[in-house]
Each structure stands twice: as structure tokens, then as C-alpha cells.
Amino acid sequence: WVYESGNMGAYNKGTTLVDETCKPLAEYVGRVVAHYTAGGHNDSCGHWHPSGLHYNWAFISFYNENEHQMGGPRYTRCWDQLRPLIEKISPGTVLEGPETVMATWAPSENSEDYLGYFIDPKNHADQRAPELLTFHWYAGNPGTIQEYNDAISAVDTNVDDHVKPLVAL
């Protein structure tokens, strides 16, 4: 629904936002947050839909692992549309993101440094850096002691190779 695509059921199809301002996307996410944290939400026509739910969410994430290769400027533009809505709807909720695949966050010859762009406060409308981002990494499904030890060793390597440089940045 957000991305133009010939097959709406194909999750990884399409990379162009229907509206590059990200306002409709932010409004949609805002309605979801309000539904669960503010007792209900107004739909896009202004009709109230009560939920009775008042969950206290500490965090909410936005997108997952840059799966649609949004790039730093677009991801930041969408983030900047969403953060003030989340803060208004649920003041105690921190907008978290992006979710980072440790092996792919760094720029390469085929990608830009979207995280470097995103975490730089000067690139945000409110001049604030994100408070939190997460690292995702799949270590497999160890079945033996050796596979378990190898998985732990691989986590250590990924922390050294990917987490520490990003934290330094």
C-alpha cells in the first residue's frame, strides 16, 4: 500500500513511495500508534474508531532493515514526518530506528551510507539525532556445542566489525 508495485502481495517489489513527502505513511503509522496507546484513532476521513487500549509503549520501530533500500535522505525525511506525530500521540514512546542488519550497514560500491546520513543530527528537520537504533544479526540455529561456540564467536566478530564502528560514528 505504500510502495507502487504491480503485485501488492509481493513484499519486496517496488521501491518508489507513492508520496515522497512521507506524510500519508506517517499519518498511517500515527493512527496505528493512537489505536494502541491513545484509546483509539481518527481515520483518514476524521471518523473516530475507539479501541479502549492505552498501552504504554517504550519504543516503536520504523521500517525494518532498509529492506526497500530507502536511502539516507528518504528514510530521514520519513522519520522526520513520523517523530513529531509519535511524540504528540504518545509522549513517552521513543521512535526507534533504523533496524540495522550488521553485515550490510556500511556503505559499499553498491550502496550509500544511509546510516551515517541518518544518525547525523544536521540531516534532521529538528536537528536531533535518533535516540536508539537496533542491530539485527542471525547466527543460525546451533545444534551442537561446536556450532554454538562458532555462533558466539561470530557474534563477537560482528560486534567488533560492525557495532563498534557504528557506535564510534
Side-chain angles (χ1 to χ4, degrees):
W1 53 266
V2 175
Y3 288 97
E4 294 174 352
S5 172
N7 179 357
M8 297 308 279
Y11 179 77
N12 287 319
K13 299 288 184 184
T15 58
T16 304
L17 286 169
V18 172
D19 183 333
E20 286 289 333
T21 68
C22 297
K23 288 179 184 177
L25 173 62
E27 290 167 353
Y28 175 81
V29 174
R31 288 191 296 273
V32 171
V33 172
H35 185 82
Y36 289 99
T37 65
H41 70 278
N42 287 309
D43 64 24
S44 59
C45 295
H47 299 122
W48 177 251
H49 298 271
S51 68
L53 301 172
H54 295 274
Y55 292 116
N56 182 16
W57 287 353
F59 307 100
I60 185 170
S61 65
F62 174 61
Y63 273 142
N64 182 48
E65 299 177 354
N66 195 30
E67 291 161 330
H68 293 280
Q69 293 76 46
M70 290 184 74
R74 182 189 284 163
Y75 188 96
T76 303
R77 184 171 57 251
C78 292
W79 172 276
D80 287 349
Q81 288 291 333
L82 187 54
R83 180 159 48 184
L85 284 175
I86 300 298
E87 290 174 345
K88 180 179 178 183
I89 294 164
S90 183
T93 302
V94 172
L95 180 59
E96 176 274 320
E99 293 82 3
T100 305
V101 179
M102 286 196 279
T104 61
W105 78 265
S108 70
E109 60 187 65
N110 298 322
S111 70
E112 66 173 304
D113 180 10
Y114 84 98
L115 279 180
Y117 183 94
F118 176 73
I119 64 176
D120 188 340
K122 76 173 191 259
N123 294 323
H124 289 274
D126 61 9
Q127 304 293 296
R128 292 174 20 205
E131 295 178 54
L132 176 69
L133 59 88
T134 64
F135 298 98
H136 294 187
W137 184 72
Y138 180 68
N141 190 14
T144 67
I145 295 295
Q146 185 57 50
E147 289 170 339
Y148 176 80
N149 289 335
D150 291 346
I152 295 300
S153 178
V155 170
D156 292 342
T157 298
N158 271 290
V159 167
D160 289 341
D161 293 350
H162 302 289
V163 176
K164 289 179 180 178
L166 185 56
V167 169
L169 180 65

